[in-house]
Amino acid sequence: MDKIPISLPVVVEGKYDKIKLSSVIDATILTTEGFGIFNNQEKRALLRALSKNGIILLTDSDGAGGVIRSHLQSFLPPDKIYQLYIPQIAGKEKRKKSPSKAGTLGVEGMDAAVLRELFQTFAARREVRQAQREAVTKADFFADGLTGKPGSAERRRALCTRLSLPGDMTPTALLAAVNLLLDRAEYREAVACLFRDKAEGTVQNKG
């Protein structure tokens, strides 16, 4: 059965949730790494940036899932959040030795048919631009002076500021974020703006 194309990013708790959901939908799926999201500034900033056109939250329907969902709601724009909830079904995931504290199945334990029904409302044809766009690479970062050159750290911080991301992101983390947030043309424009801003700042300082 074909995967359901979803144009909005989807947030789940863990990697097994992501694996299960990836078998049902074609979308950008991100994890909170459980409660790891509470101390992960980079991930929070990335989720805020990705939520500009809307973001879907799908956590487990237990106490822990509720806490994580509430935390996500505390920093994401409320008018951009779409809430999805799995039914509370008693059971245990096959990979686990014992049931969860709540005794119910999480996202990873849901039947594919249940997940498909949840996402039917959001079924959409993904933009061709999104599906076929060419990735920005480490070589691009080097060529554009974002890594390996004098002033690279400063340019990365400027790009982070432009994308509303933490200024201390590692090059690897920033590259991953860029490929989620921008297509190649948008990246080229962002880099061009960095050089324009730098040039204008130099002229003003001379003046």
Side-chain angles (χ1 to χ4, degrees):
M1 188 175 293
D2 292 340
K3 295 181 183 181
I4 301 174
I6 304 295
S7 60
L8 300 178
V10 182
V11 182
V12 294
E13 292 181 40
K15 66 177 182 179
Y16 292 104
D17 299 330
K18 180 177 180 178
I19 290 170
K20 181 58 177 282
L21 200 54
S22 295
S23 69
V24 175
I25 65 173
D26 178 13
T28 296
I29 304 173
L30 301 103
T31 68
T32 68
E33 299 173 11
F35 290 108
I37 189 67
F38 284 75
N39 298 311
N40 193 328
Q41 182 183 0
E42 287 186 3
K43 179 63 71 70
R44 290 199 301 272
L46 177 59
L47 293 180
R48 279 195 296 270
L50 286 173
S51 69
K52 60 183 179 181
N53 294 318
I55 192 165
I56 300 171
L57 306 186
L58 180 63
T59 60
D60 293 348
S61 293
D62 58 10
V67 171
I68 292 170
R69 188 185 292 266
S70 293
H71 182 67
L72 292 169
Q73 291 174 211
S74 73
F75 65 82
L76 293 174
D79 59 328
K80 300 297 183 180
I81 296 174
Y82 295 91
Q83 306 277 11
L84 281 185
Y85 299 89
I86 58 172
Q88 289 189 321
I89 301 174
K92 175 185 74 67
E93 280 81 14
K94 293 181 180 179
R95 69 178 181 86
K96 295 180 179 178
K97 294 182 178 180
S98 58
S100 65
K101 184 176 180 180
T104 56
L105 295 173
V107 171
E108 66 168 290
M110 286 292 108
D111 186 271
V114 173
L115 294 174
R116 289 186 69 85
E117 184 175 352
L118 278 177
F119 279 93
Q120 283 299 337
T121 302
F122 297 94
R125 184 174 182 178
R126 299 190 74 171
E127 299 178 25
V128 173
R129 181 174 66 96
Q130 172 88 8
Q132 298 180 347
R133 68 187 186 185
E134 183 182 357
V136 178
T137 67
K138 290 181 178 180
D140 292 317
F141 264 30
F142 180 77
D144 294 328
L146 293 167
T147 57
K149 297 180 181 179
S152 289
E154 180 184 354
R155 280 188 284 275
R156 287 197 304 274
R157 283 193 295 271
L159 180 58
C160 285
T161 298
R162 183 168 291 277
L163 299 180
S164 300
L165 294 170
D168 58 351
M169 291 186 79
T170 65
T172 299
L174 179 57
L175 180 62
V178 163
N179 276 309
L180 284 173
L181 295 169
L182 308 176
D183 62 24
R184 197 170 184 81
E186 291 167 337
Y187 166 73
R188 294 256 61 92
E189 174 59 23
V191 169
C193 286
L194 296 184
F195 285 105
R196 283 201 298 269
D197 292 346
K198 179 70 173 178
E200 290 173 1
T202 301
V203 171
Q204 290 175 359
N205 289 335
K206 289 181 177 179

